[in-house]
Amino acid sequence: MASTNAVGRKIKVARPASLLFSVFSDLTNFTRSMPADALEKAKVVSTPDTIKGKVQGMDMGIKIAERIPFSLIRYDQLGTSPIPFRIYVRMESITESESTFQIEIEAELSGMFKMMLGGKMQEGVDKLTDELEKAMGGVSA
């Protein structure tokens, strides 16, 4: 198996890195605005360090594996995912009220899976970057 990376654009956002760090380092923030019926249907459970649920009958989720204040949060796979993966959220202060933000997904994919999923991983990271950029009032860095 080989490591496959999907790296999002680095965006500049009108938020301090400390705020981004606090939001992304508490996984309960990811479920707060989700509808209760969706959480119940997928059996989603979150704690500050983990979030997991059922996806197509498999227990899947992420756990925070590393926190470097105001610069990096690394999430590792949690559960029975058939593909080992890690997610990196990087942020860097520009000023007291601005920072850069970037997401990267690293997955261990065999040749066939890499051909099937490599492009989809990049599309997913690009879409997530675009949505976060809109939500945080950002611009490409």
Side-chain angles (χ1 to χ4, degrees):
M1 288 219 212
S3 183
T4 301
N5 292 35
V7 180
R9 292 179 293 112
K10 186 182 279 191
I11 57 174
K12 184 166 70 171
V13 296
R15 303 282 191 280
S18 59
L19 175 66
L20 296 174
F21 184 82
S22 69
V23 168
F24 285 89
S25 65
D26 180 350
L27 294 176
T28 61
N29 291 326
F30 293 15
T31 58
R32 287 199 175 119
S33 62
M34 290 178 69
D37 60 329
L39 292 170
E40 188 176 316
K41 181 179 178 184
K43 296 183 168 89
V44 175
V45 177
S46 64
T47 71
D49 293 324
T50 65
I51 185 169
K52 62 182 177 177
K54 284 208 178 282
V55 178
Q56 297 182 351
M58 292 185 286
D59 287 322
M60 293 181 63
I62 57 174
K63 63 182 175 184
I64 296 179
E66 182 178 14
R67 288 182 180 96
I68 300 173
F70 318 132
S71 63
L72 173 79
I73 303 166
R74 188 184 91 220
Y75 307 99
D76 285 353
Q77 153 199 341
L78 176 68
T80 57
S81 171
I83 300 169
F85 66 90
R86 286 159 298 289
I87 302 169
Y88 299 88
V89 174
R90 293 183 172 84
M91 61 215 72
E92 183 178 344
S93 289
I94 299 171
T95 67
E96 285 186 23
S97 60
E98 289 184 315
S99 55
T100 61
F101 183 86
Q102 185 176 37
I103 296 173
E104 177 182 353
I105 297 177
E106 182 181 281
E108 299 298 322
L109 301 175
S110 66
M112 179 191 256
F113 277 120
K114 185 173 183 168
M115 287 175 31
M116 291 177 4
L117 300 176
K120 297 286 185 199
M121 277 177 45
Q122 188 63 53
E123 286 175 26
V125 168
D126 291 344
K127 183 173 174 126
L128 183 57
T129 299
D130 292 345
E131 292 302 315
L132 288 168
E133 183 176 36
K134 286 179 204 170
M136 294 188 281
V139 294
S140 292

